[in-house]
Amino acid sequence: MFTGIIETLGRVKGIETEGSNRHFEIESSISNELKVDQSVAHNGVCLTVTKVQEGKHWVTAIDETLQKSNLGNLKPSNEVNLERCMLNNGRFDGHIVQGHVDQMGECTSIKVEKGSWLYDFRYDPVHGNVTVEKGSITINGISLTCFNSTENSFRVAIIPYTYEHTTMKDIKVGDKINLEFDIVGKYVKRLMNL
């Protein structure tokens, strides 16, 4: 389980394809602290560490993950948001994040707003996912609050700290992003549809 509070950025140093899988070599400030078999969220996707060596770690994404997330678009030198699993003895600063991407969305607008940034995103409602006004949303693993929520779109406001310390600064209009919708909202929607 994660919280959506990004710990650090990692840089893709290499990508190797093996069958339908992709192995990602990631360099980061936390790589030396990781252990093989540990779960780490990469742009919000929970992946298992397969190797650790000299400030780098390796993870593998299967075809299903590559098709349903933006990890399939990564190239060497791209940055990714990294978060280790939540400690059970620490503060719960974000919201409950599973590291399971529900679907991809698309950035439709970015506006600079007196020291912050407003991002608009849309998603395909056919998958049954919903946002709630002032509810939680995870974008590329970042826990955020959405507003201007409609059936297939929402807006988030980004403060300078989040902009500088995550991949939000790299998102452009038209880019695909990973979305994990609020788990409480997903369960409520499922119960209402029974």
Side-chain angles (χ1 to χ4, degrees):
M1 187 187 316
F2 305 92
T3 65
I5 304 300
I6 302 306
E7 196 168 347
T8 192
L9 290 170
R11 186 166 301 279
V12 178
K13 299 302 283 184
I15 301 171
E16 182 183 325
T17 301
E18 180 182 22
S20 62
N21 297 335
R22 280 198 203 151
H23 306 289
F24 294 96
E25 177 185 351
I26 309 290
E27 181 179 65
S28 79
S29 61
I30 63 169
S31 292
N32 281 338
E33 299 171 32
L34 301 177
K35 295 179 173 58
V36 171
D37 286 340
Q38 190 170 10
S39 294
V40 178
H42 294 70
N43 275 359
V45 180
C46 179
L47 297 172
T48 302
V49 175
T50 59
K51 180 179 171 185
V52 177
Q53 182 181 331
E54 299 171 1
K56 294 183 278 191
H57 69 276
W58 283 256
V59 291
T60 300
I62 64 171
D63 186 56
E64 171 83 0
T65 303
L66 297 170
Q67 296 302 318
K68 293 194 174 171
S69 73
N70 63 8
L71 296 185
N73 299 329
L74 288 177
K75 295 180 178 30
S77 83
N78 285 161
E79 287 186 318
V80 291
N81 296 317
L82 297 177
E83 181 190 1
R84 287 180 278 191
C85 289
M86 181 177 74
L87 295 170
N88 65 1
N89 64 347
R91 296 187 194 278
F92 195 99
D93 291 323
H95 73 279
I96 298 171
V97 177
Q98 295 180 297
H100 304 157
V101 172
D102 292 308
Q103 68 182 91
M104 284 190 283
E106 181 181 341
C107 180
T108 58
S109 169
I110 303 170
K111 296 177 186 142
V112 179
E113 195 55 38
K114 296 181 184 171
S116 62
W117 292 261
L118 298 176
Y119 287 76
D120 290 304
F121 296 97
R122 73 172 162 230
Y123 60 94
D124 188 346
V126 76
H127 299 288
N129 295 309
V130 297
T131 58
V132 177
E133 190 71 15
K134 302 293 190 277
S136 297
I137 188 76
T138 307
I139 297 174
N140 287 345
I142 307 164
S143 174
L144 297 166
T145 301
C146 61
F147 58 101
N148 289 1
S149 180
T150 71
E151 180 187 17
N152 70 337
S153 67
F154 62 92
R155 175 176 280 181
V156 295
I158 305 298
I159 63 171
Y161 182 88
T162 303
Y163 187 85
E164 293 166 15
H165 292 90
T166 69
T167 59
M168 289 303 295
K169 65 185 172 300
D170 302 323
I171 294 174
K172 298 176 208 51
V173 172
D175 281 358
K176 300 292 185 192
I177 46 95
N178 295 332
L179 292 173
E180 182 179 330
F181 294 82
D182 182 63
I183 190 168
V184 175
K186 288 191 277 192
Y187 283 130
V188 169
K189 185 170 189 322
R190 181 177 289 169
L191 288 171
M192 291 179 68
N193 289 336
L194 290 179

